[in-house]
């Protein structure tokens, strides 16, 4: 006899992240529109996972900075990376008790130092 475990994720498990998304967009309606998706994320400072917000902005670092400031995420917490001619800034925190990751992607010029 084979036993399987049902690993179906229920939509209701995303309610807190969806509520935080609604609060975020309602609180900051005049910020540039990012790409947002709900993702499983580690709760900061724990080994637990929950649904969180992945917020991405492309080609405009000023838009990343506007969002970072609005979310109250420290400039000193921003990490950077690059691969090929694509670079990114990333900072993580929480909003309305939900984990959030803010990403800003941009292209490096042909003469940019790496």
């Amino acid at each position: 006899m084979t036993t399987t475990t049902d690993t179906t994720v229920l939509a209701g498990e995303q309610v807190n992240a969806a509520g935080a998304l609604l609060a975020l967009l309602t609180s900051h309606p005049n910020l540039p529109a990012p790409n947002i998706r709900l993702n499983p994320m580690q709760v900061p400072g724990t080994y637990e996972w929950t649904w969180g917000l992945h917020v991405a902005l492309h080609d405009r670092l000023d838009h990343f900075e506007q969002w970072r400031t609005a979310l109250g995420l420290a400039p000193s917490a921003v990490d950077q990376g690059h691969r090929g001619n694509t670079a990114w800034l990333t900072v993580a925190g929480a909003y309305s008790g939900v984990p959030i990751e803010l990403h800003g992607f941009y292209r490096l010029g042909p003469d940019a130092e790496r």
Side-chain angles (χ1 to χ4, degrees), residues 74-87:
S76 60
V78 176
D79 290 324
Q80 62 182 10
H82 77 277
R83 179 172 293 148
N85 67 346
T86 300

Side-chain angles (χ1 to χ4, degrees), residues 1-110:
M1 178 170 149
T2 303
T3 304
T4 60
T5 303
D6 185 3
T7 58
T8 302
V9 176
L10 302 176
E13 295 176 30
Q14 299 175 327
V15 166
N16 289 341
L21 172 59
L22 181 59
L24 181 64
L25 297 177
T26 302
S27 298
H28 305 289
N30 296 319
L31 288 178
N35 293 327
I36 302 174
R37 63 178 198 251
L38 304 181
N39 270 9
M41 294 183 181
Q42 189 169 4
V43 178
T46 73
Y47 295 104
E48 297 178 28
W49 288 77
T50 189
W51 286 94
L53 301 176
H54 178 274
V55 180
L57 297 134
H58 297 84
D59 299 322
R60 294 285 305 267
L61 292 181
D62 58 325
H63 290 179
F64 173 89
E65 186 61 16
Q66 289 173 36
W67 274 95
R68 188 203 55 74
T69 301
L71 292 168
L73 302 173
S76 60
V78 176
D79 290 324
Q80 62 182 10
H82 77 277
R83 179 172 293 148
N85 67 346
T86 300
W88 57 87
L89 301 176
T90 303
V91 63
Y95 185 83
S96 294
V98 171
I100 187 167
E101 292 178 356
L102 177 64
H103 302 272
F105 297 96
Y106 58 100
R107 298 208 181 273
L108 297 172

